[in-house]
């Protein structure tokens, strides 16, 4: 393709003189603007030279100046406005010393890549220096940054290899926030103080003045303004159906690369407004046929028409229109409960106050500030957990205490019970005999039909429809449908947002379902895990203070805005996430096969602590050795999740605030330094990898430990067959390491040997720690009593024998079908264990009321 200035025919030679002059002037002006604001290199090389790219922009001569916004003042050379925080970061890659050779014959062929996620998100690269252990690059790269963001530059040195994958030799992370405006700093990154290998880089930060940028932030995450680019391609000649494919790219956009036949198609790109991006249009298979348009130069709201001068007729007309993107966020950035949850709690407190007055026989009504927040926390455990929770909720209702509960949290199998119950908006106000009979029907039925050909065909059709709608394909979706068939005779159309009806008058507790977000590979859940909570109102990450309405979970988001709304999933697909046994890696499986406390000791203890006063400002990674490569291979083997769950990431594109790590609600995982490295956290991922919380701790308690929920009393319902206190102790250690107020879990040796039906744990020295009433799954006095105070007759003795051994129990988590007798025994046992501890429950409720009165006195006006 001919470029302006070359001694070859130009496609607009015949254009009127004003058109040629203005086109040339436009190209020169765009070049001057583009050279310093785009994340690119000053010198020619892999990063490209802006001038040669901009000069390919041409205007078709038959168009009149009046009809083209370029010549009607659309671009406007107006003076830029001042914006506090806009800066130009210059990274000058100088040289390296003593790099080891990866080749057998010659020295290394080295280049450096640069990546800054808070600037235009494509990796830049120096030229390759051949056969040198001490290469000199002396190349500068420019990044437009905002000082309110956490700007961490990643530099990597690679040895180029033509036959195999390029070898990484050195990796450096540098926090640009440590630079002062106007400062020039030269850093020498070495693997060790005595080591010869080092990389020398110069950093410079300069203040900029430019158009204003609006930031939305909760001081952990930051959402930036978006721009939309509409692109229309059309043939300029009479020939239609041109052969070939054209690819359009706006680096860092939500849509990514898009393709269409030459000369046809409409395209839309969303990208951060402050990023000095360019539209790249390239003919596939013809590298020389390439047009790049700087988007900063396009006038907002006006149509710009260009021509892509291809080497073959017909020409391709390009019509561009840039406009402001959506301003309102669809992701809620906030660390407290959403307004809907707060309104629910206000309604629920009226119900709780009435129930507590009756249960505790109080002589007056409780004021709103005196009403304690009481929660039920249920663990996982498959069919056993689902069945047991039915029995315990029936026991609480029998005692008149179910209306004292404000929250119910569930994980894995206990979520199945909650999902079933909340299909009835009045479930807690009714006798649970009916739902229990339905449960028994499903638990005792044969499960062989779930894999019948007709069922498999139905699964295939529904999964194909989900893929057509835009949901990522993953094995967990199939598991969700199989799981639904195990628990129901017919597909249920109920959705999570439908459960809001059950909360409309505060008539039921608010259910919260738990999952764990982790990495698809290379890290275990002990090394990286983030709690995700699901309620009828919202789904979100308490760690980041980022939430979306529950009906939008699974839809596509970018920079906090909804990009593509997908139909809300049936709740069975969420149950597949909450009980996702198939996203496990081999290392997770070791947790289940070993003593969990020992596994925790092995993987978590003695790891480097990450304190909020010791945030890394730079990080140097040494090149992998042969032993390191072997170790990496086995680590990948152990940590890769072959059947990982995949969900569109609603955090995608959001950036981190410069002080995110010091935020009191940002819960850093102290067993790893990953939380101090924002370039590797969840907002940079396109997909979430959600799995059963049991691969870390079999508990649904973390949502109740949020300080903004201020829970006073937790009824801990534990369904583990191995260790009555094991998971609660792991939770206690987790809270201790994270600095979360929680009572010490220290049962006596006697309690360990012979756990009772109910145990109380409190911490008088820590008023913020909730009181915990723990109900392990044990068969204690139930052997002798059929009901509280009613001894069994000799004929009833057999009914009191409930096998809860961890090896041969009929309630093992692998069992999906129970006999009617075993089902009845488990339901009666769990109901009895609640009812037989009425006095302890009432005592704990009195304590909670007293605690609330002492700590929540109204402030004087």
């Amino acid at each position: 393709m001919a470029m302006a200035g070359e001694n070859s025919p130009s496609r607009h030679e015949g254009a009127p003189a004003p058109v040629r002059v203005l086109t040339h002037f436009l190209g020169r002006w765009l070049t001057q603007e583009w050279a310093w604001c785009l994340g690119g290199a000053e010198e020619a090389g892999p990063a490209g030279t802006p001038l040669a790219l901009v000069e390919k922009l041409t205007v078709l001569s038959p168009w009149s100046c009046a009809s083209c916004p370029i010549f009607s003042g659309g671009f406007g050379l107006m003076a830029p406005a001042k914006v506090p925080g806009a800066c130009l970061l210059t990274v000058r890659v100088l040289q390296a010393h003593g790099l080891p050779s990866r080749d057998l014959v010659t020295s290394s062929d080295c280049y450096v890549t640069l990546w800054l996620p808070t600037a235009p998100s494509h990796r830049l690269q120096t030229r390759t220096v051949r056969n040198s252990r001490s290469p000199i690059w002396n190349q500068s790269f420019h990044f437009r940054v905002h000082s309110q963001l956490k700007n961490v530059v990643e530099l990597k040195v690679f040895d180029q290899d033509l036959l195999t994958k390029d070898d990484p030799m050195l990796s450096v992370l540098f926090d640009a926030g440590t630079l002062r405006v106007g400062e020039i700093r030269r850093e020498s990154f070495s693997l060790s103080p005595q080591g010869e290998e080092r990389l020398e880089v110069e950093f410079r930060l300069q203040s900029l003045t430019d158009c204003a940028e609006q930031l939305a932030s909760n001081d952990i995450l930051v959402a930036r303004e978006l721009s939309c680019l509409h692109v229309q391609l059309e043939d300029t000649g009479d020939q239609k159906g041109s052969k070939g494919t054209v690819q359009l790219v706006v680096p860092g956009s939500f849509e990514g690369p898009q393709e269409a036949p030459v000369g046809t198609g409409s395209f839309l790109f969303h990208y951060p407004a402050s990023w000095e991006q360019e539209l790249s249009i390239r003919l596939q298979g013809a590298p020389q046929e390439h047009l790049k348009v700087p988007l900063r130069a396009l006038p907002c709201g006006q149509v710009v028409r260009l021509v892509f001068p291809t080497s073959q007729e017909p020409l391709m007309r390009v019509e561009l229109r840039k406009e402001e993107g959506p301003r309102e966020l669809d992701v809620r950035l906030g660390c407290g409960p959403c307004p809907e949850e707060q309104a629910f709690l206000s309604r629920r407190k009226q119900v709780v106050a009435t129930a507590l007055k009756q249960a505790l026989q109080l002589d007056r009504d409780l004021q709103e500030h005196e009403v304690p927040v009481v929660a039920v926390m249920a663990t996982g455990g498959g069919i056993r957990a689902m069945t047991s929770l039915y029995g315990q909720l029936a026991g609480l209702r029998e005692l008149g205490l179910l209306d004292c509960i404000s929250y119910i949290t569930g994980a894995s199998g206990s979520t199945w019970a909650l999902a079933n119950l909340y299909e009835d908006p009045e479930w807690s106000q009714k006798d649970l005999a009916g739902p229990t009979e339905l449960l028994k029907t499903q638990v005792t039925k044969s499960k062989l039909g779930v894999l019948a050909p007709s069922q498999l065909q139905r699964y295939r059709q529904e999964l194909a429809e989900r893929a057509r709608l835009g949901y990522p394909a993953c094995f967990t979706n199939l598991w969700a449908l199989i799981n639904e068939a195990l628990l129901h005779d017919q597909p249920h159309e109920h959705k999570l947002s439908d459960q809001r009806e059950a909360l409309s008058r505060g008539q039921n507790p608010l259910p919260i379902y738990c999952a764990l977000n982790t990495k698809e590979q290379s890290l275990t859940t002990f090394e990286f895990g983030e709690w995700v909570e699901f309620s009828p109102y919202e789904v979100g990450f308490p760690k980041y203070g980022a939430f979306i309405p529950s009906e939008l979970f699974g839809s596509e988001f970018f920079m906090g805005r909804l990009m593509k709304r997908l139909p809300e999933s049936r709740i069975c697909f969420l149950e597949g996430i909450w009980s996702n046994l198939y996203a496990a890696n081999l290392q997770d499986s070791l947790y289940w096969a070993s003593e969990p406390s020992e596994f925790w000791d092995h993987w978590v203890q003695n790891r480097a602590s990450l304190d909020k006063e010791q945030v890394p400002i730079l990080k140097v990674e040494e090149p992998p050795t042969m032993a390191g490569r072997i170790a990496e291979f086995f680590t990948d083997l152990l940590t890769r999740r072959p059947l990982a769950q995949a969900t569109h990431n609603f955090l995608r594109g959001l950036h981190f605030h410069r002080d995110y790590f010091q935020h009191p609600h940002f819960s850093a995982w102290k067993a790893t330094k990953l939380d101090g490295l924002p370039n590797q956290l969840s907002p940079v991922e396109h997909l979430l990898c959600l799995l059963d919380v049991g691969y870390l701790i079999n508990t649904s308690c973390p949502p109740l430990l949020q300080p903004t929920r201020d829970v006073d009393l937790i009824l801990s319902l534990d369904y583990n067959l191995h260790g009555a206190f094991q998971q609660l102790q792991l939770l206690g250690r987790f809270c201790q390491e994270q600095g979360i107020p929680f009572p010490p879990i220290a049962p006596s040796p006697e309690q360990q040997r012979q756990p009772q039906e109910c145990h109380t744990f409190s911490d008088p020295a820590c008023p913020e720690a909730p009181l915990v009433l723990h109900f392990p799954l044990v068969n204690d006095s139930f052997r002798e009593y059929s009901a509280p105070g009613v001894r069994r007759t000799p004929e009833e003795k057999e009914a009191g024998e409930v096998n809860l051994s961890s090896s041969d129990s009929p309630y093992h988590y692998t069992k999906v079908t129970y006999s009617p007798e075993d089902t009845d025994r488990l339901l009666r046992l769990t109901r009895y264990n609640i009812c037989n501890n009425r006095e302890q429950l009432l005592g704990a409720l009195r304590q909670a009321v007293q605690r609330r009165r002492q700590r929540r006195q109204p402030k004087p006006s």
Side-chain angles (χ1 to χ4, degrees):
M1 172 168 40
M3 292 165 40
E6 291 183 354
N7 296 321
S8 55
S10 172
R11 290 193 175 274
H12 56 280
E13 275 185 346
V19 175
R20 294 198 300 270
V21 172
L22 286 172
T23 303
H24 175 74
F25 171 76
L26 176 64
R28 298 298 298 177
W29 176 76
L30 291 177
T31 300
Q32 293 168 4
E33 292 292 314
W34 200 242
W36 62 266
C37 62
L38 175 67
E42 289 177 356
E43 300 81 8
T49 304
L51 178 59
L53 302 177
V54 172
E55 287 180 341
K56 297 180 183 179
L57 184 151
T58 60
V59 180
L60 191 64
S61 59
W63 299 353
S64 69
C65 296
S67 66
C68 181
I70 294 180
F71 306 113
S72 59
F75 277 99
L77 302 179
M78 61 183 67
K82 293 184 178 180
V83 176
C87 296
L88 178 67
L89 173 66
T90 301
V91 181
R92 193 169 189 85
V93 182
L94 300 173
Q95 58 187 332
H97 297 276
L99 295 179
S101 176
R102 300 293 177 191
D103 301 323
L104 297 177
V105 180
T106 63
S107 298
S108 300
D109 304 326
C110 296
Y111 63 89
V112 181
T113 63
L114 300 91
W115 180 49
L116 178 57
T118 53
S121 61
H122 59 286
R123 295 180 188 270
L124 305 176
Q125 182 177 320
T126 67
R127 62 179 174 269
T128 300
V129 177
R130 304 288 179 183
N131 300 327
S132 176
R133 293 191 59 206
S134 299
I136 297 176
W137 294 283
N138 200 28
Q139 287 183 260
S140 293
F141 299 82
H142 305 286
F143 300 94
R144 179 193 172 107
V145 299
H146 199 290
S147 62
Q148 294 299 309
L149 305 180
K150 192 72 169 177
N151 301 300
V152 179
V153 185
E154 177 186 274
L155 300 99
K156 288 188 175 182
V157 182
F158 286 90
D159 177 13
Q160 190 177 68
D161 196 315
L162 298 179
L163 299 179
T164 61
K165 184 179 179 181
D166 294 351
D167 292 318
M169 305 183 70
L170 182 67
S171 177
V172 171
L173 295 176
F174 179 78
D175 185 356
T178 61
L179 296 171
R180 300 185 305 273
V181 173
E183 178 184 4
I184 299 177
R185 184 189 303 175
R186 182 165 178 162
E187 293 277 2
S188 181
F189 302 105
S190 60
L191 299 183
S192 65
Q194 300 79 21
E196 173 182 297
E197 308 93 338
R198 67 182 187 276
L199 174 68
E200 294 185 7
V201 185
E202 183 182 273
F203 300 92
R204 182 182 183 185
L205 192 66
Q206 299 168 273
S207 180
L208 292 177
T209 57
D210 203 4
C211 57
E213 180 183 5
Q214 188 72 33
L215 301 180
S217 177
N218 61 359
D219 294 334
I220 298 175
L221 294 177
V222 178
R224 310 178 76 171
E225 288 183 282
L226 284 183
S227 288
C228 298
L229 177 67
H230 298 264
V231 183
Q232 179 73 39
L233 300 183
E234 183 180 345
D235 285 349
T236 61
D238 296 330
Q239 303 178 37
K240 301 296 180 182
S242 303
K243 296 181 180 180
T245 301
V246 62
Q247 183 186 66
L248 295 87
V249 179
V250 175
S253 67
F254 163 74
E255 289 78 8
Q258 301 187 61
E259 293 184 357
V262 170
T264 62
S266 298
F267 306 87
L268 177 64
F269 293 93
H270 293 84
Y271 60 95
S274 64
W275 284 9
E276 306 299 343
Q277 292 293 53
E278 61 187 8
L279 168 67
S280 171
I281 305 178
R282 184 189 301 272
L283 291 181
Q284 300 288 65
Q288 73 279 9
E289 309 285 4
H290 194 187
L291 171 68
K292 289 195 175 184
V293 182
L295 301 184
R296 182 177 186 272
L298 298 180
C300 191
Q302 299 185 39
V303 175
V304 174
R305 297 180 178 89
L306 309 173
V307 165
F308 186 0
T310 62
S311 58
Q312 297 180 356
E313 299 294 344
L315 302 181
M316 187 165 58
R317 179 180 295 155
V318 182
E319 185 175 285
L320 306 175
R321 179 168 55 88
K322 184 177 75 173
E323 60 185 27
E324 290 184 351
R327 287 189 171 272
E328 296 297 322
L329 295 186
D330 298 295
V331 174
R332 181 176 72 87
L333 297 180
C335 297
C338 63
E340 294 82 359
E341 181 177 334
Q342 295 178 41
F344 160 79
L345 285 175
S346 181
R347 297 189 296 267
R348 184 63 179 174
K349 279 188 175 183
Q350 301 175 28
V351 177
V352 172
T354 300
L356 285 173
K357 181 181 180 182
Q358 182 176 351
L360 301 180
Q361 298 182 349
L362 303 177
D363 55 3
R364 65 174 179 86
D365 293 337
L366 291 173
Q367 300 299 311
E368 184 173 352
H369 70 274
E370 297 176 315
V371 179
V373 178
V374 182
V376 166
M377 184 279 292
T379 70
I383 300 292
R384 178 180 69 252
M386 179 177 69
T387 306
S388 298
L389 183 54
Y390 268 86
Q392 289 167 320
L393 292 176
L396 289 171
R397 191 179 188 285
E398 182 178 331
L399 296 179
L401 302 181
L402 193 51
D403 280 346
C404 300
I405 309 299
S406 295
Y407 291 101
I408 298 182
T409 63
S412 193
S414 58
T415 66
W416 304 342
L418 297 178
N420 289 345
L421 289 170
Y422 277 86
E423 289 191 20
D424 182 355
E426 308 296 329
W427 73 267
S428 70
Q429 307 304 311
K430 300 177 180 178
D431 190 335
L432 294 184
T436 301
E437 286 303 314
L438 291 176
L439 166 79
K440 291 165 65 175
T441 300
Q442 297 304 318
V443 167
T444 59
K445 74 176 184 181
S446 171
K447 307 299 192 299
L448 295 178
V450 301
L451 296 179
S454 59
Q455 286 284 62
L456 294 176
Q457 176 66 12
R458 182 178 69 81
Y459 303 157
R460 188 189 68 81
Q461 292 174 348
E462 185 159 2
L463 293 178
E465 175 62 16
R466 284 179 64 82
R468 186 190 67 80
L469 292 172
Y471 284 98
C474 61
F475 178 83
T476 306
N477 291 333
L478 174 59
W479 158 242
L481 294 174
I482 294 175
N483 188 59
E484 180 185 47
L486 292 172
L487 303 176
H488 303 285
D489 291 329
Q490 298 295 330
H492 279 214
E493 296 301 323
H494 200 65
K495 302 177 178 66
L496 181 58
S497 63
D498 294 338
Q499 296 183 2
R500 293 172 187 167
E501 186 180 354
L503 309 172
S504 58
R505 304 187 316 279
Q507 69 270 37
N508 299 295
L510 174 65
I512 301 178
Y513 309 87
C514 293
L516 198 69
N517 180 52
T518 186
K519 296 289 186 180
E520 184 176 347
Q521 62 186 60
S522 301
L523 292 173
T524 71
T525 52
F526 278 90
E527 293 172 307
F528 182 79
E530 299 173 331
W531 294 91
V532 184
E533 60 180 52
F534 297 72
S535 84
Y537 298 126
E538 287 190 322
V539 177
F541 287 81
K543 168 181 177 176
Y544 299 119
F547 301 85
I548 57 173
S550 57
E551 63 269 24
L552 297 183
F553 178 73
S555 295
E556 297 187 59
F557 289 78
F558 182 67
M559 197 60 77
R561 281 82 169 185
L562 178 64
M563 294 288 104
K564 180 180 180 182
R565 179 164 186 165
L566 303 183
E568 184 179 2
S569 294
R570 298 191 294 113
I571 201 169
C572 77
F573 289 102
L574 301 185
E575 292 177 299
I577 292 174
W578 303 332
S579 57
N580 184 3
L581 299 175
Y582 299 98
N585 55 42
L586 293 178
Q587 200 143 292
D588 288 334
S589 301
L590 292 176
Y591 171 71
W592 288 76
S594 63
E595 177 72 23
S597 59
E598 294 177 2
F599 191 89
W600 181 288
D601 286 334
H602 181 66
W603 289 105
V604 178
Q605 295 300 303
N606 301 321
R607 288 185 178 271
S609 176
L610 182 61
D611 296 324
K612 293 202 170 186
E613 292 75 25
Q614 298 175 347
V615 185
I617 61 172
L618 62 86
K619 176 186 177 184
V620 180
E621 293 179 348
E622 57 184 274
T625 62
M626 181 57 68
R629 290 178 184 276
I630 295 174
E632 183 180 2
F633 169 79
F634 283 104
T635 298
D636 287 344
L637 183 66
L638 287 170
T639 59
R640 186 180 296 272
R641 303 182 187 278
L643 298 174
Q645 193 273 339
T647 300
H648 292 302
N649 182 9
F650 58 86
L651 302 179
R652 180 184 168 192
L654 293 170
H655 295 151
F656 281 93
H657 188 273
R658 64 182 181 184
D659 298 322
Y660 81 96
F661 201 77
Q662 280 71 37
H663 195 283
H665 290 293
F666 181 78
S667 53
W669 180 250
K670 291 188 178 181
T672 177
K673 289 190 181 248
L674 202 59
D675 281 330
L677 307 175
N679 295 7
Q680 301 180 44
L681 290 177
S682 294
V684 303
E685 306 285 355
H686 282 213
L687 299 174
L688 300 176
C689 181
L690 303 175
L691 67 155
D692 192 324
V693 300
Y695 289 117
L696 181 64
I697 307 173
N698 188 15
T699 181
S700 61
C701 199
L704 305 176
L705 301 178
Q706 294 297 316
T708 52
R709 289 201 169 102
D710 199 17
V711 175
D712 298 282
L713 171 62
I714 297 175
L715 306 184
S716 169
L717 310 181
D718 194 320
Y719 308 124
N720 287 279
L721 295 178
H722 183 66
F725 306 97
Q726 187 180 80
Q727 299 300 318
L728 194 64
Q729 287 175 312
L730 289 178
L731 175 62
R733 294 175 65 179
F734 169 81
C735 291
Q736 183 180 12
E737 292 178 3
Q738 300 300 106
I740 300 172
F742 197 75
I745 309 300
S748 67
E750 178 59 30
Q751 290 174 326
Q752 292 272 23
R753 287 192 299 271
Q754 187 63 43
Q756 300 172 348
E757 298 152 353
C758 181
H759 301 264
T760 303
F761 299 100
S762 63
D763 188 358
C766 181
E768 294 80 15
L771 178 68
V772 175
L773 216 58
H774 184 58
F775 290 85
L777 187 58
V778 297
N779 185 12
D780 188 16
S781 61
F782 183 69
R783 290 188 176 92
E784 303 296 329
Y785 294 85
S786 59
V790 181
R791 281 194 172 273
R792 293 188 181 276
T793 64
E795 294 77 19
E796 297 173 327
K797 284 289 186 181
E798 185 180 354
E801 296 301 324
V802 185
N803 182 2
L804 299 177
S805 68
S806 59
S807 57
D808 61 346
S809 173
Y811 309 114
H812 193 269
Y813 79 92
T814 58
K815 305 286 186 180
V816 294
T817 301
Y818 293 173
S819 70
E821 297 77 18
D822 288 331
T823 305
D824 285 334
R825 285 193 181 102
L826 187 57
L827 286 167
R828 290 169 184 158
L829 168 68
T830 51
R831 181 171 182 158
Y832 169 88
N833 283 355
I834 291 291
C835 294
N836 196 46
N837 289 278
R838 177 177 179 274
E839 293 307 317
Q840 279 192 262
L841 283 163
L842 294 177
L845 290 171
R846 289 191 187 94
Q847 254 184 283
V849 171
Q850 183 180 7
R851 178 179 185 267
R852 178 64 62 156
R853 283 173 171 168
Q854 292 173 345
R855 297 177 58 241
R856 298 292 180 270
Q857 293 295 333
K859 296 181 180 179
S861 57

